[in-house]
Amino acid sequence: MDDEKLVGVVLVSHSAAVAEAVAALATGLTGSGATAPVAPAGGTGDGGLGTSAELIAAAAARVDRGAGVAVLTDLGSAVLTVKTLLAEGDELPPDTALVDAPFVEGAVAAVVAASAGAALAEVRAAATEAYDYRKV
Amino acid sequence: MLDADFFRRWLTNAADAVDRSAALLTELDSPIGDADHGSNLQRGFTAVVVTLEKEAPETPGAVLTLAGRQLISTVGGASGPLYGTLLRRTGKALGDAAEVDEATFTEALRTGIDAVAALGGAAPGDKTMLDALMPGVDALGTSFGAARDAAREGALATTPLLARKGRASYLGERSIGHQDPGATSAALLFDALAETAENPPAPGADHG
């Protein structure tokens, strides 16, 4: 598998700990072989709870291998900040997509799919499908 | 006509108003939000004033676009992308003109407010900043003072509303009886706008 062509995944949470833990979980559940680049972007720049446009832009740049970047978020300002960066700026790599998915389940699906070499649209579909997984 | 200096003074007055009201905004944000609205906006507007002084943008559009960008990157809460979008879209709508008349500004501001509504997916009556922004811009055709009064009344009128957007919406009916912090800070922007219009710089003053 050519790592250069894997879709990157950015995980945006209000909490740095949550973003990092979900990144570790999704990577850990992906299994052996190449793992898609995953970067957490949690909390504010000074370590508080919130959203940092700069951390998000830096994380997206870090995982961009030219195949697109899937961004998953938790809620509120995380969603609004990514939407704003996509609409207003040139701060995210081309082919960056905000993925509509549950954060934890979607992150696992996205990283598994991306690691298998799925294109951005497939990564997006896999993560969104996680909404259909009912637990009871 | 409104020039770059007018808009720079507006945002400086807004920063002062946010400073004065930071404790109130955070207090309003405590029962129905996460008690950070005042400090988030204070951080954002302080950075806006610094960046406007440093970069000295020369047109109204450039002032607002730069300020919006700064809010997006500095605030850290939902008000950052929302107010950032408001100022950026308003600034973009003003284009490169060195001066704009009040009608042009009103239309540009309406474009910015529409972008905020689209971003947040909120409508008037949802107990959000739109409940002050929309009556404010509607009254701007009359006068800056009328816009200030309308925005203030809009913010006060959010108290009996049920929150339908953001964290406050999780509280359901328990959100009723609290004035919305976002509508309150939005009214401060119109307050600062009227203050700016009513206090032109002294003749001969250095406009920097």
Side-chain angles (χ1 to χ4, degrees):
Chain A
M1 183 81 50
D2 182 359
D3 181 59
E4 296 300 308
K5 301 217 175 116
L6 296 182
V7 168
V9 179
V10 173
L11 301 174
V12 184
S13 169
H14 278 58
S15 152
V18 169
E20 281 159 25
V22 173
L25 173 67
T27 307
L29 291 181
T30 295
S32 55
T35 302
V38 182
T44 57
D46 56 6
L49 295 180
T51 309
S52 161
E54 272 147 23
L55 288 180
I56 295 168
R62 216 155 58 234
V63 300
D64 180 25
R65 302 286 185 274
V69 176
V71 183
L72 282 83
T73 64
D74 57 7
L75 70 166
S77 62
V79 181
L80 295 180
T81 301
V82 174
K83 277 188 177 173
T84 302
L85 290 175
L86 287 171
E88 304 292 322
D90 44 7
E91 287 155 54
L92 297 178
D95 292 328
T96 298
L98 171 61
V99 175
D100 185 17
F103 193 59
V104 176
E105 294 88 336
V108 173
V111 175
V112 168
S115 299
L120 180 59
E122 299 168 286
V123 171
R124 199 172 185 165
T128 299
E129 258 174 43
Y131 273 132
D132 298 332
Y133 171 64
R134 313 311 312 180
K135 291 162 195 175
V136 285
Chain B
M1 294 292 275
L2 312 172
D3 61 5
D5 186 60
F6 175 88
F7 289 94
R8 189 188 55 73
R9 289 188 296 113
W10 173 29
L11 295 171
T12 304
N13 287 334
D16 290 343
V18 165
D19 264 342
R20 286 194 301 270
S21 303
L24 168 70
L25 293 175
T26 290
E27 191 188 313
L28 292 173
D29 196 31
S30 298
I32 59 172
D34 46 1
D36 62 1
H37 192 51
S39 51
N40 279 346
L41 280 188
Q42 213 172 6
R43 182 167 57 243
F45 275 92
T46 301
V48 163
V49 171
V50 169
T51 208
L52 288 177
E53 272 178 23
K54 195 169 121 205
E55 301 202 14
E58 289 177 355
T59 64
V63 168
L64 295 179
T65 310
L66 179 65
R69 189 190 171 98
Q70 188 65 48
L71 288 179
I72 292 164
S73 65
T74 315
V75 169
S79 54
L82 290 167
Y83 281 125
T85 294
L86 175 68
L87 296 185
R88 275 190 69 123
R89 288 298 179 90
T90 303
K92 281 184 182 176
L94 290 177
D96 297 330
E99 292 184 323
V100 298
D101 60 28
E102 290 173 21
T104 304
F105 170 54
T106 302
E107 278 323 294
L109 187 59
R110 205 180 287 284
T111 305
I113 292 170
D114 288 346
V116 170
L119 174 63
D126 284 349
K127 199 178 181 99
T128 71
M129 57 173 67
L130 291 179
D131 292 318
L133 292 174
M134 287 194 164
V137 76
D138 285 344
L140 202 50
T142 308
S143 70
F144 287 112
R148 169 181 52 204
D149 294 345
R152 202 179 277 172
E153 279 163 28
L156 291 173
T158 60
T159 302
L161 297 178
L162 177 76
R164 296 192 192 281
K165 286 287 159 190
R167 185 193 177 284
S169 65
Y170 302 154
L171 296 172
E173 295 198 345
R174 286 191 299 279
S175 67
I176 292 171
H178 299 283
Q179 186 176 324
D180 182 62
T184 307
S185 59
L188 290 181
L189 290 188
F190 282 98
D191 236 3
L193 189 60
E195 184 189 345
T196 308
E198 287 159 6
N199 298 284
D206 181 6
H207 290 200

